[in-house]
Amino acid sequence: MECRIGRVTAIRPTEVEVEVLQMSACSSCHARGACTASDMRMRTVTITRDLPVGLSVGDPVQIIADDPKVLQASAYAYIIPLVLIILEAVLLPKYFGIGEMALIGVTLATVALYAVVLWILRDHFKRVFTFRIRPLREAHD
């Protein structure tokens, strides 16, 4: 189960927006100060299912994504494009005699087309890849 901590930024009747800190793998590295690859930014996540009662703007919450959905999303984002690129790099020169420059062009076009397909299917993915939200109660003295 993938969990992130965030703060509620907006509440509407059917959805809640939560701002979370998105960090790259480099941002947790011990050498991040000496490297320019460190990347952290705030990201807004919209949650539309299983909304808890009594949330207020500014409340800390935990956003939960189920592991199978995280793995499936990773496959769409990383594994499928990688497999397409590898298959093109192996099969196109061997069976179609495509040169390196043409292979680069075909590969870029394939990745661009794949990105367009993902963009077209974005509403479907919003329904499939959903998050749950759980309020975190801060202890007050």
Side-chain angles (χ1 to χ4, degrees):
M1 186 176 333
E2 179 73 23
C3 299
R4 298 285 170 118
I5 305 297
R7 291 217 176 265
V8 175
T9 58
I11 300 173
R12 290 184 269 295
T14 59
E15 63 186 24
V16 173
E17 286 187 3
V18 178
E19 194 173 59
V20 294
L21 182 63
Q22 181 179 3
M23 299 186 301
S24 68
C26 295
S27 63
S28 60
C29 174
H30 72 282
R32 71 181 174 272
C35 179
T36 60
S38 177
D39 181 28
M40 294 188 302
R41 65 183 173 124
M42 295 305 284
R43 180 169 184 213
T44 301
V45 177
T46 303
I47 293 128
T48 58
R49 293 194 177 165
D50 302 327
L51 301 176
V53 179
L55 282 180
S56 300
V57 172
D59 283 353
V61 292
Q62 184 177 37
I63 298 173
I64 304 163
D66 295 326
D67 286 339
K69 296 293 184 185
V70 172
L71 292 174
Q72 187 179 5
S74 297
Y76 282 116
Y78 303 110
I79 297 170
I80 293 172
L82 179 64
V83 169
L84 287 173
I85 290 169
I86 291 171
L87 286 175
E88 286 179 346
V90 172
L91 298 178
L92 291 180
K94 183 175 182 179
Y95 292 108
F96 297 101
I98 291 181
E100 289 178 3
M101 292 307 288
L103 181 61
I104 291 170
V106 169
T107 302
L108 288 174
T110 301
V111 171
L113 180 64
Y114 185 76
V116 169
V117 169
L118 289 181
W119 184 78
I120 291 169
L121 295 173
R122 70 187 180 281
D123 289 332
H124 169 73
F125 289 134
K126 284 180 185 178
R127 287 189 303 274
V128 171
F129 301 118
T130 58
F131 299 96
R132 291 179 288 136
I133 185 173
R134 181 171 46 199
L136 295 177
R137 303 291 178 215
E138 292 181 340
H140 296 289
D141 291 73

